[in-house]
């Protein structure tokens, strides 16, 4: 009969890893990652600022009507025909947030057919 081979005793590395991980989490929560601001300081509020579209952009309202520099435009073809030839290379549009996507895509297609080279959609983040 053979005897069992003696088992080698392993170090408890899993327990050590768990302890180091818990210490890391503790110091991340308890420590300060960035220096605090002065308590007397008040940050600027930008939520109430009114964003304005660029003056060279075609504005599309929620109901689908078009406006350029404050004047209504009948359709995309009339708008593109009134532009300078250099301005037709890049046409910027500012759609209303509630404008249906299908209507926006159709307008982009109409602008391209009318002679616009590139149609750029200006979003809220681009206005800031």
């Amino acid at each position: 009969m053979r005897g069992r081979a003696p088992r080698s005793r392993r170090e408890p590395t899993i327990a050590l890893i768990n302890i180091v991980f818990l210490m890391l989490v503790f110091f991340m929560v308890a420590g300060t990652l960035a220096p605090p601001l002065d308590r007397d300081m008040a940050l600027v509020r930008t939520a109430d600022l009114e964003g304005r579209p660029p003056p060279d952009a075609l504005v599309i309202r929620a109901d689908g009507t078009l406006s350029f520099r404050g004047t209504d435009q009948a359709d995309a073809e009339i708008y593109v025909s009134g532009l300078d030839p250099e301005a037709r290379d890049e046409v910027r549009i500012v759609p209303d947030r509630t404008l249906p996507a299908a209507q926006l895509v159709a307008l982009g297609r109409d602008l391209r057919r009318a002679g616009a080279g590139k149609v750029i959609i200006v979003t809220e983040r681009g206005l800031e």
Side-chain angles (χ1 to χ4, degrees):
M1 256 178 125
R2 288 188 186 173
R4 285 189 173 176
R7 282 179 121 179
S8 65
R9 189 161 177 157
R10 293 186 182 184
E11 293 183 29
T13 56
I14 298 293
L16 182 63
I17 291 171
N18 287 341
I19 290 171
V20 170
F21 178 72
L22 288 173
M23 287 175 57
L24 175 68
V25 170
F26 171 76
F27 286 116
M28 284 177 58
V29 171
T32 302
L33 298 178
L37 296 173
D38 292 336
R39 295 190 190 276
D40 300 336
M41 185 172 159
L43 298 176
V44 176
R45 257 190 87 134
T46 60
D48 298 331
L49 291 179
E50 179 184 331
R52 283 179 282 168
D56 61 342
L58 178 67
V59 177
I60 306 141
R61 297 185 192 99
D63 60 356
T65 57
L66 307 175
S67 172
F68 179 67
R69 294 183 179 166
T71 60
D72 290 340
Q73 302 291 313
D75 61 5
E77 188 174 338
I78 292 173
Y79 164 71
V80 173
S81 66
L83 292 175
D84 293 332
E86 303 101 31
R88 292 180 189 173
D89 293 339
E90 283 188 358
V91 173
R92 297 181 189 280
I93 58 176
V94 180
D96 187 272
R97 180 181 303 218
T98 58
L99 182 75
Q103 214 169 351
L104 180 61
V105 170
L107 177 68
R109 198 175 307 125
D110 292 344
L111 287 168
R112 295 285 300 201
R113 266 192 235 127
K118 183 195 274 187
V119 178
I120 299 172
I121 300 173
V122 180
T123 62
E124 183 176 5
R125 186 175 180 114
L127 290 174
E128 292 177 356

